[in-house]
Amino acid sequence: MRKKTVLITGGGRGIGAATAKLFARNGYVVFINYKSNHQAASRVADDIAAEGGECYPIQADVSKEEDAIKLFSSLDQRVDQLDVLVNNAGILRQQSRLENMTASRINAILLNNITGYFLCCREAVKRMSTRLGGEGGAIINVSSGAARTGSPNEYIDYAASKGAIDTLTKGLSKEVAAEGIRVNCVRPGLIYTDMHADGGEPERVKRLESKIPMQRGGQPEEVAEAIFWLATDKASFSTGNFLDLSGGL
Ligand code: NAP
């Protein structure tokens, strides 16, 4: 029986890296995409290889159409079928009120966090859809609890980009439901990763812990478990659904 395959965008660090390791431990051939941190992605691939798994890092800025197309073409050269796409490559910028946000900042966030997800969904659907000769598959979009809260005083632009991912999940899940593709979404709350440093506050999760009903932030591995479940046949009747991983927040 052929090994299942997964592509995880932004798989070099944080939630994506934890997800890559979990899929590899479960026998998947794992492709991880990253934008610029080659060292981090290589480390993930080495860790997986050390455990006997198979992982291929691929550089691509998924928000650029030509890069997204090249990313999927390089997958085509290695495997016959893509079973799972985890759309996870997201960014945020310095915490700020809306009145101080420039158009270039807003556009950069929307381009990266929305267009990148759309392009990867498009390329995955072309390969997975039974209507187009594929074997079906699963797409998991990593949104954020920010889509619900709106992230006032921190990054409304980021939160709005995640709101768009929720809508993408709903629409696409219905569009391809009869073509063997399930499209679901996880919405992490406050997770310990390097992303918060990009907002100018590396210790943000620590500061907000007392506001979380479970009184702690989440670990990337806890998000990975939910993503993995949604990818497997155990979630066979789940599509267009949302799993909030927020410790009750
Ligand atoms: P992270 O540690 O900052 O890692 C982000 C990853 O995405 C990196 O591998 C980065 O590549 C990659 N990336 C970003 N833009 C890319 C692009 N255009 N093309 C290719 N790769 C790109 O982030 P994280 O905290 O794990 O977040 C992962 C996802 O979870 C994001 O979508 C984020 O919005 C969401 N999320 C996170 C939290 C949280 O508290 N951490 C909460 C809710 C939702 P390089 O390594 O090359 O830079």
Side-chain angles (χ1 to χ4, degrees):
M1 208 173 68
R2 78 169 172 84
K3 276 178 140 187
K4 291 216 168 200
T5 56
V6 59
L7 167 64
I8 302 160
T9 68
R13 295 187 286 123
I15 292 168
T19 305
K21 289 178 186 175
L22 183 60
F23 274 88
R25 266 180 227 126
N26 282 278
Y28 280 71
V29 177
V30 178
F31 294 89
I32 52 170
N33 148 258
Y34 64 97
K35 185 157 66 179
S36 51
N37 195 333
H38 174 71
Q39 227 182 352
S42 294
R43 238 185 342 256
V44 174
D46 289 348
D47 288 351
I48 287 175
E51 288 187 15
E54 212 177 325
C55 175
Y56 304 99
I58 306 173
Q59 190 284 325
D61 178 346
V62 290
S63 67
K64 293 187 177 148
E65 190 162 29
E66 63 277 18
D67 274 27
I69 290 170
K70 263 198 257 161
L71 168 64
F72 280 80
S73 302
S74 45
L75 248 76
D76 293 338
Q77 283 161 21
R78 281 195 187 268
V79 291
D80 293 332
Q81 186 68 29
L82 174 65
D83 296 296
V84 181
L85 165 68
V86 181
N87 248 333
N88 165 79
I91 55 164
L92 48 72
R93 290 271 169 91
Q94 179 65 40
Q95 293 174 6
S96 163
R97 286 174 57 95
L98 175 62
E99 64 216 32
N100 296 318
M101 288 182 192
T102 61
S104 106
R105 168 198 163 125
I106 296 164
N107 287 337
I109 294 287
L110 301 185
L111 184 71
N112 196 94
N113 293 0
I114 304 178
T115 307
Y117 276 50
F118 269 75
L119 292 173
C120 291
C121 279
R122 183 189 75 190
E123 294 304 309
V125 165
K126 283 189 197 168
R127 288 158 176 82
M128 292 175 176
S129 170
T130 52
R131 189 175 59 90
L132 301 171
E135 293 178 11
I139 296 174
I140 296 96
N141 290 326
V142 181
S143 172
S144 170
R148 288 179 287 112
T149 65
S151 303
N153 303 307
E154 290 192 319
Y155 12 72
I156 298 177
D157 51 353
Y158 168 84
S161 75
K162 294 302 187 178
I165 297 314
D166 287 7
T167 307
L168 163 68
T169 303
K170 275 184 212 156
L172 183 63
S173 66
K174 290 173 185 158
E175 197 164 295
V176 297
E179 298 171 21
I181 308 175
R182 296 183 299 101
V183 186
N184 289 293
C185 187
V186 295
R187 285 189 295 217
L190 293 157
I191 310 298
Y192 295 102
T193 71
D194 294 342
M195 175 175 255
H196 305 282
D198 299 337
E201 190 185 0
E203 298 300 317
R204 176 170 173 260
V205 180
K206 269 235 135 343
R207 171 172 64 83
L208 294 167
E209 268 177 346
S210 63
K211 297 198 178 356
I212 301 170
M214 284 180 74
Q215 300 287 297
R216 67 170 179 87
Q219 295 297 338
E221 290 74 17
E222 295 179 287
V223 181
E225 290 287 349
I227 293 171
F228 183 71
W229 179 77
L230 284 167
T232 65
D233 288 345
K234 296 203 168 158
S236 52
F237 201 48
S238 175
T239 198
N241 294 138
F242 296 81
L243 239 172
D244 289 302
L245 302 148
S246 57
L249 192 66

